[in-house]
Amino acid sequence: MIEISEKSKIGILGGGSWATAILKMMIPNLPGDHKINWYVRKKETAEYIRKNKHNPNYLGAVEFDVSKIFVCAEIGKVVENSDILVLAIPSAFLHTTLKEVAELLPQKFAISAVKGIVPEFNLIVGEYLMKAFGMESTQLGVITGPCHAEEIAMERLSYLTIVSENLRNAEIIANRIENPYIKTILSDDLYGTEYAAVLKNIYALATGISLGLGYGDNFMAVLIARAIQETKRFIDTVHPIDRDIKDSAYLGDLLVTSYSQFSRNRSFGMMIGKGYSVKSAQLEMNMIAEGYYAAKSIMEINSQYNIFMPIAETVYNILYRDRPPAFEFKILTDKIR
């Protein structure tokens, strides 16, 4: 078991909006003369951040004390000099990126902030790290909950759930994050929280499609109510433990991703509902909609279980079988009554 401490050095992998938000939360809680190591993909981005004190591509209003960060486009340096790794890389690129530092990962404590599924393996991030790199479940954590990066940038009150089988490790991570606008909740449900974070992206995509098709709030309320039931059926089957599906890590995350103007999955779905092709919607998006990859992976996983998942199946049919959204949702409205 890898034990972390208040003095453990943190590295953040990823240069997107969520990585930027996590960095903002963690900087004020740095112990002593510590710095946060930050891996971004492009050398030009790293140089820009060092010079201009903000991310040029995401959450541009968030300024950093650059004396508190070591920003670098060489992932090996960041991983080697960190005890704790926060993974905030889109799931579609995670495997390719981490292969570069495969030999270093088994000595680290890794926290998934991805909220996606690794498509090459059809595995949530924790399971992927165990299978691909031989890491133990006790080396893993999750940051999840109803929290959009844009609201972190505005310092609006938010709640995050920090997950680890070792609750002492979860508490240490929580202490690095909590501040006047961030409150934290601890959990040991490593599998359920990650699967719920994957599924809510599919369901947010579904709510977006419904809006694009012209359905209203009344239908969306029923859709989301059925979605949390679908989530419970799935995670209770693949990892049956005692959990409260109404907790914010499950229901709360589903609600904010389905209703928020900041939800990229909802926005992606709205474009599909309005008649965009999948390819044109992807080109229009500035960020990755994790629900697109998740829809295929979850259906392939569910082929082993045959869980009743009409909403996820509808999204899959639209995205991957080129079925007309209006036709598929007409069928869905009878299945979820």
Side-chain angles (χ1 to χ4, degrees), residues 6-54:
E6 289 81 359
K7 295 182 179 180
S8 295
K9 293 179 288 183
I10 291 182
I12 297 175
L13 307 185
S17 58
W18 192 220
T20 306
I22 292 170
L23 187 71
K24 173 181 167 62
M25 289 185 278
M26 286 186 163
I27 284 177
N29 295 324
L30 280 172
D33 58 353
H34 275 221
K35 292 186 177 185
I36 293 180
N37 302 311
W38 187 15
Y39 164 71
V40 296
R41 187 167 56 89
K42 295 181 179 179
K43 184 179 178 181
E44 311 87 78
T45 303
E47 291 173 350
Y48 182 97
I49 292 168
R50 284 193 289 268
K51 181 178 179 181
N52 297 286
K53 303 180 182 180
H54 68 92

Side-chain angles (χ1 to χ4, degrees), residues 85-145:
L85 299 175
V86 180
L87 309 181
I89 297 166
S91 63
F93 311 119
L94 192 64
H95 181 58
T96 302
T97 304
L98 293 186
K99 280 196 300 185
E100 298 182 40
V101 289
E103 71 285 354
L104 298 173
L105 292 175
Q107 289 80 49
K108 309 297 177 180
F109 186 86
I111 305 166
S112 171
V114 175
K115 293 191 174 184
I117 201 159
V118 184
E120 297 95 330
F121 293 81
N122 284 347
L123 296 173
I124 53 174
V125 175
E127 290 180 312
Y128 156 73
L129 292 172
M130 288 187 278
K131 178 169 182 167
F133 305 107
M135 298 179 75
E136 301 291 333
S137 62
T138 52
Q139 293 177 253
L140 306 175
V142 177
I143 296 176
T144 191

Side-chain angles (χ1 to χ4, degrees), residues 125-168:
V125 175
E127 290 180 312
Y128 156 73
L129 292 172
M130 288 187 278
K131 178 169 182 167
F133 305 107
M135 298 179 75
E136 301 291 333
S137 62
T138 52
Q139 293 177 253
L140 306 175
V142 177
I143 296 176
T144 191
C147 199
H148 283 303
E150 293 82 0
E151 292 206 352
I152 298 299
M154 294 182 277
E155 300 189 357
R156 291 181 175 173
L157 181 62
S158 304
Y159 291 73
L160 283 169
T161 297
I162 314 302
V163 188
S164 173
E165 289 182 357
N166 182 334
L167 287 177
R168 174 56 183 155

Side-chain angles (χ1 to χ4, degrees), residues 293-304:
Y293 302 101
K296 183 173 184 288
S297 293
I298 289 295
M299 282 296 96
E300 290 175 353
I301 293 169
N302 194 39
S303 66
Q304 306 168 41

Side-chain angles (χ1 to χ4, degrees), residues 218-239:
N218 294 345
F219 173 74
M220 194 189 304
V222 175
L223 183 67
I224 294 171
R226 293 294 183 255
I228 195 62
Q229 293 172 357
E230 200 166 295
T231 299
K232 179 173 173 56
R233 284 196 298 273
F234 183 87
I235 62 177
D236 282 356
T237 299
V238 300
H239 190 63

